[in-house]
Amino acid sequence: MTTTTTTLTPPVTSGPRKLVKRRPSETTRQDRLAALGCAVSATLLTWFVMHLLLESPGWLADLIVAYLLYLAMLYLVTRDRLGRLAASDRIVSTVVVSGALTLLVPLLFLLTYIVIEGAPYLRLAFFSHDMSAVAPTDPVTATGGLHAVVGTLQQTALTLVFVVPLGLLTAIFLNETRSRFRRPVRIMVDAMSGLPSIVAGLFIYAALIIPGIQAGVGLFSYNGLMATLALTMVMLPTVTRTVDVVLRLVPDGLREASLALGASRARTVWSVVLPTARTGVTTAVILGIARVAGETAPLLFTSFGSLAMNANPFSAPQESIPLFIYRFIKQPLENVQQRGYVGALVLILLIFSLFAIARFVGRDRSKRKAKSSKKTLRTQENR
């Protein structure tokens, strides 16, 4: 009699799938392929619906329909693969990137157009003489803009002299004090933010220039100072609101630590709050420069403009690059219009230069100081 022994092996059961932790914004190769597939599918479906089933009104309608279909497909595919949170994050990221590209494309087109129109005629002689001896029939390469560059630099510098202290003090008043006048001041700053620039020029013209001309006071006449006051009204709310937001981001713990060590509130603001917000204050100044550097409307009623050089902003009309552009771009002659494009190119280069200088001055030096201190400690340890 033969005995057979049977060994029973337990069935192999597959356990729960191990989940891999992943950030919603993290993308992989499969995610990119899925997005590409959604884009191709949305394009083909748009072509089928808008051109075979319906009559498309134009390329803009096709683009809008394809974009909406792409968002819907991307959401459904991502939700099926990764869940609702990742799908929502992917849709919001796509919309933000699309908005940035939508704004970037016209900007690049504008910059490219100005460079193409103005770069062939820009010469170094532009920065060496004015337009007093240049005739309309002269070649575009003979254009002189020294008087406009000097006027723009002087007016912008004077505006910063007025705006930076006032903007800083106002933002400090709104954040670091408990005065009951903070709310009215904040409302006034917000209201001035929406003030049209031409209204600022008209205000200076009606309040100072007309009475000054009638009274024979040369200071209150068409000059760079009046343009500076108008630009100050335009720039001040921008700088104040930006610095206000930046000061709010400074942690309260820094203020409390400084006060706990016995420092006064003024000392805390000067030695703790402002150094911490230095980069943000620099950004506020840059935004202010961008706000007023290209303004033309206030200057039409204040500085009035001139073809000759005037390095004194407190006497006589003074030219600036925006007025230079406006003066020549509206002329019917193509040869004269090209001078306006040259001025526009110089204005862009000037603003970029001011931005670079402001960024360099307000750069964050904390990392460099930390590296230098570590290097010093290592040197001392080696010794």
Side-chain angles (χ1 to χ4, degrees), residues 10-263:
V12 179
T13 58
S14 59
R17 186 175 61 180
K18 185 178 180 180
L19 298 179
V20 179
K21 292 184 178 182
R22 176 180 170 184
R23 293 181 179 275
S25 59
E26 183 181 354
T27 58
T28 61
R29 184 172 180 271
Q30 294 180 352
D31 297 334
R32 293 188 287 271
L33 291 177
L36 179 60
C38 293
V40 174
S41 301
T43 303
L44 296 176
L45 183 59
T46 301
W47 175 80
F48 178 77
V49 174
M50 300 296 290
H51 292 272
L52 296 182
L53 300 182
L54 302 174
E55 184 176 355
S56 176
W59 65 270
L60 182 60
D62 296 344
L63 182 62
I64 294 175
V65 172
Y67 182 72
L68 295 178
L69 288 176
Y70 169 73
L71 291 180
M73 292 180 182
L74 183 63
Y75 179 80
L76 294 177
V77 171
T78 308
R79 181 175 180 179
D80 181 68
R81 295 178 58 248
L82 303 175
R84 180 182 300 176
L85 179 61
S88 302
D89 181 83
R90 196 65 48 79
I91 291 299
V92 173
S93 301
T94 303
V95 172
V96 171
V97 173
S98 302
L101 292 177
T102 304
L103 296 177
L104 184 62
V105 170
L107 178 61
L108 292 178
F109 174 77
L110 178 62
L111 293 177
T112 305
Y113 181 77
I114 293 177
V115 170
I116 293 175
E117 293 291 334
Y121 307 104
L122 181 60
R123 301 291 186 272
L124 291 177
F126 182 91
F127 303 97
S128 62
H129 64 279
D130 54 26
M131 290 293 296
S132 59
V134 180
T137 56
D138 290 342
V140 184
T141 54
T143 303
L146 178 62
H147 60 308
V149 174
V150 171
T152 298
L153 292 177
Q154 288 183 346
Q155 294 169 16
T156 305
L158 288 175
T159 303
L160 290 176
V161 169
F162 288 128
V163 168
V164 173
L166 290 176
L168 279 176
L169 291 176
T170 306
I172 292 172
F173 173 78
L174 295 176
N175 281 275
E176 307 299 330
T177 65
R178 298 295 179 265
S179 175
R180 60 180 180 179
F181 296 104
R182 289 190 306 161
R183 184 177 179 84
V185 173
R186 192 181 299 275
I187 293 175
M188 183 63 66
V189 171
D190 293 338
M192 288 183 63
S193 301
L195 181 71
S197 58
I198 192 173
V199 176
L202 288 173
F203 174 78
I204 298 298
Y205 175 76
L208 298 178
I209 295 179
I210 292 180
I213 293 176
Q214 293 176 352
V217 182
L219 184 62
F220 297 101
S221 181
Y222 296 111
N223 53 48
L225 178 61
M226 297 296 104
T228 298
L229 296 179
L231 295 178
T232 300
M233 296 179 61
V234 177
M235 184 178 177
L236 182 59
T238 302
V239 175
T240 302
R241 293 187 65 182
T242 308
V243 176
D244 182 19
V245 174
V246 170
L247 293 182
R248 292 183 189 180
L249 298 178
V250 177
D252 290 335
L254 296 178
R255 299 181 177 88
E256 295 172 356
S258 176
L259 295 174
L261 291 174

